[in-house]
Amino acid sequence: WTLRPATPDDVEPIAELRAVVMRPDLERLGRFDERRVRQRFRDAFVAAHLSVIEAEGRFAGCVALRPAEDAHWLEHFFLDPALQGRGLGSAVLRTLLARTDADGTPVRLNVLQGSAAQRLYERHGFSVESEDPVDVLMVRRPRAYPSN
């Protein structure tokens, strides 16, 4: 797999993937809107922070690591459902977290209540910072690794 910078041409394929990936959780929470799920991504798209994940020579998903004043925000982390459960998400996450650990920067993210993605994040050191009936805010403090 590889990461490449996103371009404006990636907006619609990512918006469509977002709708597919988020639909089950949004429906369970009673918040799925066919138009809004795509438009929210279009409105939030910033190519400078977004990477496209390619695997097996094709579009596999995306992820953003947006710098903020006191942390990086992990956002728009979507994988093609056909590629989920095969270690790709963990591999991408490990790569991004190695960068933020090297910078000494915490990482924050928001995940929907009840989403299976929360378990992925917990396995990678994220813990719940706060939650409400819809969202779970998680944080991961940077890890220091001994130098060899």
Side-chain angles (χ1 to χ4, degrees):
W1 63 271
T2 59
L3 290 176
R4 68 162 173 81
T7 70
D9 291 340
D10 295 312
V11 172
E12 290 310 312
I14 294 171
E16 187 58 35
L17 178 62
R18 180 182 196 271
V20 169
V21 169
M22 292 189 71
R23 185 177 193 133
D25 286 330
L26 289 171
E27 284 181 339
R28 180 179 41 76
L29 294 168
R31 300 180 66 90
F32 184 76
D33 177 298
E34 192 75 46
R35 187 197 65 75
R36 187 170 184 252
V37 70
R38 291 168 179 83
Q39 193 59 46
R40 283 193 64 168
F41 176 78
R42 292 177 189 122
D43 293 344
F45 177 78
V46 177
H49 305 305
L50 191 70
S51 296
V52 170
I53 303 163
E54 294 181 337
E56 301 169 1
R58 65 180 182 88
F59 172 75
C62 63
V63 64
L65 196 58
R66 179 179 54 84
E69 189 173 312
D70 63 343
H72 278 87
W73 281 88
L74 184 70
E75 300 172 322
H76 310 302
F77 193 9
F78 309 119
L79 287 179
D80 181 329
L83 298 173
Q84 292 177 10
R86 296 168 49 185
L88 178 58
S90 286
V92 170
L93 199 50
R94 277 192 304 272
T95 298
L96 295 176
L97 294 175
R99 292 181 197 168
T100 60
D101 285 346
D103 292 343
T105 309
V107 179
R108 288 195 160 78
L109 61 84
N110 191 19
V111 66
L112 291 171
Q113 280 286 358
S115 172
Q118 184 173 344
R119 289 188 301 279
L120 169 72
Y121 299 130
E122 288 169 344
R123 285 194 309 269
H124 289 274
F126 286 84
S127 59
V128 174
E129 193 168 49
S130 65
E131 56 187 304
D132 64 30
V134 176
D135 296 307
V136 178
L137 179 63
M138 302 184 80
V139 64
R140 180 183 178 277
R141 305 280 174 221
R143 298 195 176 157
Y145 294 99
S147 57
N148 294 344

